[in-house]
Amino acid sequence: MIKIRNLYKSFGKLEVLKDISTDIAKGDVVAIIGPSGSGKSTFLRCLNLLEVPTSGQVWIGEDEITNPKINIMKVRQKIGMVFQHFHLFPHMDTLGNITYAPMKVKGLKEAEAKQKAMELLKKVGLEDKANEYPVRLSGGQKQRVAIARALAMEPEIMLFDEPTSALDPEMVKEVLDVMKSLAQSGMTMAIVTHEMGFAREVADRVFFLEEGRLLEDTPPVEFFSNPKTERAKAFLDKIL
Amino acid sequence: MNLDFSQIVPSIPFILKGIWVTLQIVSVSLIFGFILGTILSIFKIGKLAILRWFADAYTSIFRGTPLILQLFLIYFATPQLTGIDISAYAAAVLTFGLNSAAYVSEIIRAGIQAVDKGQREAAEALGVPYRPMLINIILPQAIKNILPALVNEFITLTKESAIISTIGVLDIMRRAQIVSAERYIAFEPLMFAAILYYIMVMALTLLGRLLERRMRRSD
């Protein structure tokens, strides 16, 4: 589903990602962890070209998105993304947020888009908030709307960039629960997270990044009990 | 001190007719300046370096030289250069429109760039193309930042329009001067003109506040 070869990314002189190569299969749930500044978010953002890699290749399915000739807008329709700070559209209500892209990009009729949006809202437990504006929602509710918005495009892959880092502690669970059920439904997911419990329970694989290198790609049970590298060990010692 | 406002009473209708002239020139320049300014602002935030350069140079020139000089260049110097006579009215509208566009483009650019860049990323991640993203996502949010500054620009334009009296357009200012010359009095007609300008500016201010309040409803 996702193929990454020799991915490099620099911001000016700062080399943020160094020679990352890996594959993510359909249905894989990957937790990306590592110290801050290790390049986790940049890595995730290279997968839908919100950051353009300096060199290397990324395939999404059959499409090589690092090929300048590719229609990235088309590929992005297949990749949902959820941000740390939600980025809901503040001038649209919940339904408006969810139906905008399916109507504008995919040309869905309003009735159809709304019906789909209501189903998704039900899934994330927010049917009663359909006509609220984002300012009236709590952080956890905003993030669940953001997930519904991404799912409304019927993506094949979902990227999560620290989806619970901006939330009050009591709201983390409601978002993680939605993500868990999404993982169980077979969605291919890449999640930058600091929620180690969630990573251990839900992920199929853990990517450990440090200083822009992919140091480990290990099943979670093994990673958390017996990490391969000293650096991962040191990292886990600090946070667990 | 001998102030006698009754002296200008017969001339009041003559001065009042200037309101229409001033309003006409201001509103046409305003629309012209707004459209051109919007286009320039899109150049400024766009990807094409040549258009960005053009829009920046444009703004720099029109902000960097006096308005009255621009007016004289267009009214007096253009005919000399091209042989085409330009009416005072057209010169006024052209000057104010071109000049206002420079300021408006900066106002809109700043308003657009003040919108959280996460909004753009969220739209991009959903596969929304540039144009609908700008129109449906960015601009509606930018308007809130833009509106107060834009009203301010319109107020400035209304007041500055008085300099068209220097090329003989019969606006409020010019008419006040004529009355002043006819009756050998300065204070009364000028004071009357000042009140007219003030009322127009207050009306614009009020309109701006009403619009702003409407916009804040979704907050």
Side-chain angles (χ1 to χ4, degrees), chain A residues 18-41:
Chain A
K18 296 164 195 159
D19 197 16
I20 295 181
S21 298
T22 186
D23 295 293
I24 298 174
K26 191 169 165 50
D28 271 359
V29 175
V30 178
I32 303 161
I33 66 178
S36 79
S38 58
K40 308 183 293 286
S41 287

Side-chain angles (χ1 to χ4, degrees), chain B residues 123-193:
Chain B
E124 278 179 348
L126 287 164
V128 180
Y130 184 75
R131 191 187 289 238
M133 175 200 69
L134 199 63
I135 293 170
N136 303 134
I137 307 295
I138 306 298
L139 279 180
Q141 298 182 58
I143 294 280
K144 281 185 202 174
N145 310 326
I146 290 171
L147 198 71
L150 211 52
V151 169
N152 214 9
E153 166 61 17
F154 294 164
I155 288 172
T156 307
L157 190 64
T158 306
K159 288 183 299 178
E160 295 288 303
S161 76
I163 69 163
I164 59 180
S165 60
T166 58
I167 59 167
V169 178
L170 283 174
D171 69 333
I172 300 172
M173 184 68 194
R174 179 82 186 141
R175 284 165 192 260
Q177 285 173 325
I178 290 172
V179 171
S180 169
E182 273 174 2
R183 301 185 187 270
Y184 305 108
I185 48 172
F187 189 84
E188 293 87 343
L190 287 177
M191 204 58 207
F192 187 65

Side-chain angles (χ1 to χ4, degrees), chain B residues 197-216:
Chain B
Y197 279 111
Y198 187 72
I199 291 171
M200 284 163 66
V201 167
M202 282 301 108
L204 263 179
T205 310
L206 214 64
L207 198 73
R209 283 211 193 118
L210 277 174
L211 273 172
E212 255 181 84
R213 206 171 303 157
R214 270 189 73 118
M215 300 263 167
R216 302 239 172 268

